[in-house]
Amino acid sequence: MFVPGRISQFVIFLVLCFFMLSALWLSKRKPIFKLRKIAPLDAIEEVVGRCAEMGRPLLMVPGIEGITAQTLAGLTVVNYATSLAARYDVEPIMLVAVQDVYPLALENVRLAFQAEGKADKFRPEMVRFVYSQFPMATTAMGIINRQRVAGTVMVGGFYAETLMILENAYRAGAVQVGGTANYHNIPFFVAVCDYALIGEEIFAASAYLSKDPEQIGTIVGEDFGRLFLALLAFIGAILATLGATYGKWFINLLSI
């Protein structure tokens, strides 16, 4: 009647759903959960403030991927940076390398200016579409060196173009906030950026910046789910260490 191995998966799925729904329910009733301090996100206001003091633009790049989880996380961060730029009269320059992301990025910037009561200062040229990876990186390098940007915010999916942009911004003296979930590029952000978001920190950005209890509850529910899966792995390791009989029993249990 049941496919072998699927019952245990279904039970684990139900447990994870329980953690998620419980955290959301508790967050709605009373906001008792808090996210730890994420310094790079707090530093975005410092970066925008530096641009305002020096009278130079702010460069933003939400990655080079299509509409993925990383891109949406990057747009959340750059949208926050754009709101601060509008508030402090800083010129934002956003580069987009994928056509599907361009209208979304353009609307985000327009709404950010509108929310700050400065819709009249929004210009479509603030969001520039440069197709594909290396042409976008070359454009970014030109903007950095010609306009001497004072700050950069790069969050999203990045690949071989990372150091091309980051190194030029470093040479220009820009304060940099960056991050990606692509593990092969995280070392570059950590090495060059003043403030680096590491891995899944970029996905917590929306909850952290908005302080929305429901979004925070979602993050907490996911963390409880990870702890549960880590506990299963720990129990399995202990039983396997005690002997083949115990390890085989645990494997058989998860194979039901």
Side-chain angles (χ1 to χ4, degrees):
M1 182 176 179
F2 297 100
V3 179
R6 296 297 176 87
I7 298 177
S8 58
Q9 293 178 17
F10 182 66
V11 172
I12 292 174
F13 170 74
L14 291 178
V15 173
L16 297 178
C17 288
F18 170 76
F19 285 133
M20 182 69 69
L21 294 175
S22 297
L24 283 172
W25 181 76
L26 290 172
S27 297
K28 288 181 179 180
R29 284 180 60 87
K30 188 176 181 180
I32 58 175
F33 300 118
K34 292 183 179 180
L35 298 179
R36 67 172 175 83
K37 185 179 179 65
I38 304 179
L41 297 177
D42 293 335
I44 293 176
E45 188 163 3
E46 173 191 336
V47 174
V48 178
R50 178 183 172 87
C51 294
E53 290 174 359
M54 301 183 71
R56 296 180 183 176
L58 170 70
L59 177 66
M60 302 177 293
V61 185
I64 64 165
E65 296 181 349
I67 301 178
T68 64
Q70 287 200 77
T71 301
L72 295 176
L75 286 172
T76 297
V77 177
V78 299
N79 184 53
Y80 173 70
T82 302
S83 297
L84 294 175
R87 187 180 308 167
Y88 299 135
D89 293 323
V90 171
E91 178 190 1
I93 301 174
M94 187 189 301
L95 294 181
V96 179
V98 181
Q99 60 270 30
D100 293 342
V101 179
Y102 175 74
L104 188 58
L106 184 66
E107 185 66 8
N108 273 358
V109 173
R110 186 186 69 80
L111 291 175
F113 272 80
Q114 182 178 324
E116 293 296 327
K118 297 184 178 180
D120 57 312
K121 294 189 176 182
F122 165 73
R123 291 178 290 106
E125 306 85 58
M126 292 176 174
V127 182
R128 306 177 188 181
F129 172 63
V130 184
Y131 180 70
S132 79
Q133 179 181 20
F134 292 113
M136 186 278 294
T138 305
T139 302
M141 292 161 58
I143 292 172
I144 290 169
N145 289 286
R146 285 193 304 271
Q147 302 190 35
R148 309 297 293 179
V149 299
T152 66
V153 177
M154 294 176 50
V155 178
F158 291 93
Y159 296 86
E161 75 292 340
T162 302
L163 274 182
M164 296 172 62
I165 303 174
L166 293 180
E167 185 178 0
N168 276 269
Y170 173 79
R171 292 178 180 274
V175 180
Q176 302 190 77
V177 173
T180 183
N182 293 340
Y183 65 91
H184 47 75
N185 265 39
I186 292 175
F188 302 139
F189 282 95
V190 173
V192 183
C193 289
D194 299 276
Y195 304 95
L197 292 161
I198 300 175
E200 292 191 359
E201 285 183 338
I202 71 173
F203 301 122
S206 178
Y208 186 85
L209 295 173
S210 67
K211 310 298 182 185
D212 180 23
E214 292 188 18
Q215 293 190 43
I216 293 175
T218 301
I219 300 296
V220 172
E222 291 175 357
D223 287 342
F224 280 128
R226 291 189 182 95
L227 289 174
F228 171 71
L229 295 176
L231 179 62
L232 286 180
F234 178 75
I235 293 174
I238 294 297
L239 293 177
T241 303
L242 292 176
T245 303
Y246 296 102
K248 187 176 180 180
W249 171 82
F250 189 70
I251 292 173
N252 290 335
L253 179 65
L254 295 179
S255 300
I256 296 176

